[in-house]
Amino acid sequence: MTKFVYADNAGTTSISKTALDAMMPYLTEYYGNPSSIYSLGRKSRAALDSARETVAAALNAKPEEIFFTGGGTEADNWAIRAALEKMSAKGKHIITSAIEHHAVGHTLSALEKKGYEVTYLPVDEKGQISLQELEKAVRDDTALVTIMMANNEIGTILPIADIAKIAKSRGALFHTDAVQAVGHIPVDVKALDVDMLSLAAHKFRGPKGVGALYVKKGHAIPAFIIGGGQERGRRSGTENVAGIVGMAAALEDAVRNMDENIAKITRMRDRLIAELSKIPYSRLTGDPVNRLPGTASFVFECIEGESLVLSLDAKGICASSGSACSSASLDPSHVLLAIGLKHEVAHGSLRLTVNEANTEEDIDYILEVLPPIISRLRDMSPLWEEKMNVRV
Ligand SMILES: *Cc1c(COP(=O)(O)O)cnc(C)c1O
């Protein structure tokens, strides 16, 4: 029997039993519309209210600062468009980083075509922006600064509190895409002092297609979806009650077990990093210190990332090369190029992301299977042959 190891938890996670158990009643017997006033509807309304309190508490926010969305991408789109509309009198300048998820990056490139001006802050080889460069980039007409809390491809964690402070000192709104951070590392919206923050349930063992946008109290942001007036008139449409309940249960669980999970996950990640770094012509990508507990990301020279992922799949291992969203294209990831890797090196990227559902046996198996696959792929590679000939 071939083993099965899921090591693509930055792409999505398995749903936890806690989340699924919490959802089941709302997929079966409690199917009422939360807007209905009879008791079956009130049961759903109560579940929504309670989920909002749970999500708020996990972030140190107030329940009225939480708006449920259809996932991380929607939260990012909403945050950006709402901020720009709200700040239209200030200007049309936006600052972001060169390593954002496409939910932010592609939204901003669409806005550039509509007359907005975007400054893309470069990052160093670890994936960190320079705070001095941010300070220089902020202008009087800067409406929004949006910079991610943790990168999905290389796991770098950015100093959001410092970044938010600089953005806000000049009167710009600050949003962070915290989709990779929430449920994995401590996220306290008051301590970070952000205006808006996005999260998605399926990255912390909740269901797919549900997320939330935190909006600091006092910022009356415009509506994103118009209709029946749900989410205090800002995001209409009958609520995904079961999904929202599942998200709250998953987040509560993640926060309750965070210290323990971080210790366990970091141990697995560090074994992967220590062992796979021994492979010749391999390199860890991202910040070696300020990085997500579960992200082990590499580039292997003279390797085609796609071939590597398919070879691993044949051995029952799910991993990714670049991000899931860009893996359909042949262009190397914008994140890997932004940290200064050459095209041909960036093509040989591998991202292994583990969470608390993984075991040390999973790591044993990856470490047993991966090095021989790399040797085999290199043996077939003309680039590798060339490289070895040059050396001798
Ligand atoms: C996954 C992800 C998103 C998109 O979230 P969805 O729920 O899949 O729409 C946005 N930003 C980051 C950093 C992500 O990792």
Side-chain angles (χ1 to χ4, degrees), residues 9-12 69-76 99-104 148-153 177-181 198-203 207-211 323 325 351:
N9 288 287
T12 195
T69 68
T73 301
E74 184 187 315
D76 286 340
I99 58 164
E100 298 296 312
H101 188 275
H102 289 324
V104 168
M148 70 196 326
M149 185 158 183
N151 182 269
N152 45 301
E153 291 187 42
D177 173 345
V179 173
Q180 287 293 335
S198 305
L199 61 98
H202 74 111
K203 301 291 174 71
K208 293 167 186 54
V210 57
S323 71
C325 324
R351 180 186 71 181

Side-chain angles (χ1 to χ4, degrees), residues 370-389:
L370 182 54
I373 291 177
I374 294 195
S375 303
R376 183 171 57 79
L377 292 175
R378 280 179 173 167
D379 285 344
M380 301 186 310
S381 157
L383 288 173
W384 181 251
E385 194 184 342
E386 208 175 290
K387 193 177 189 75
M388 291 303 104
N389 286 340

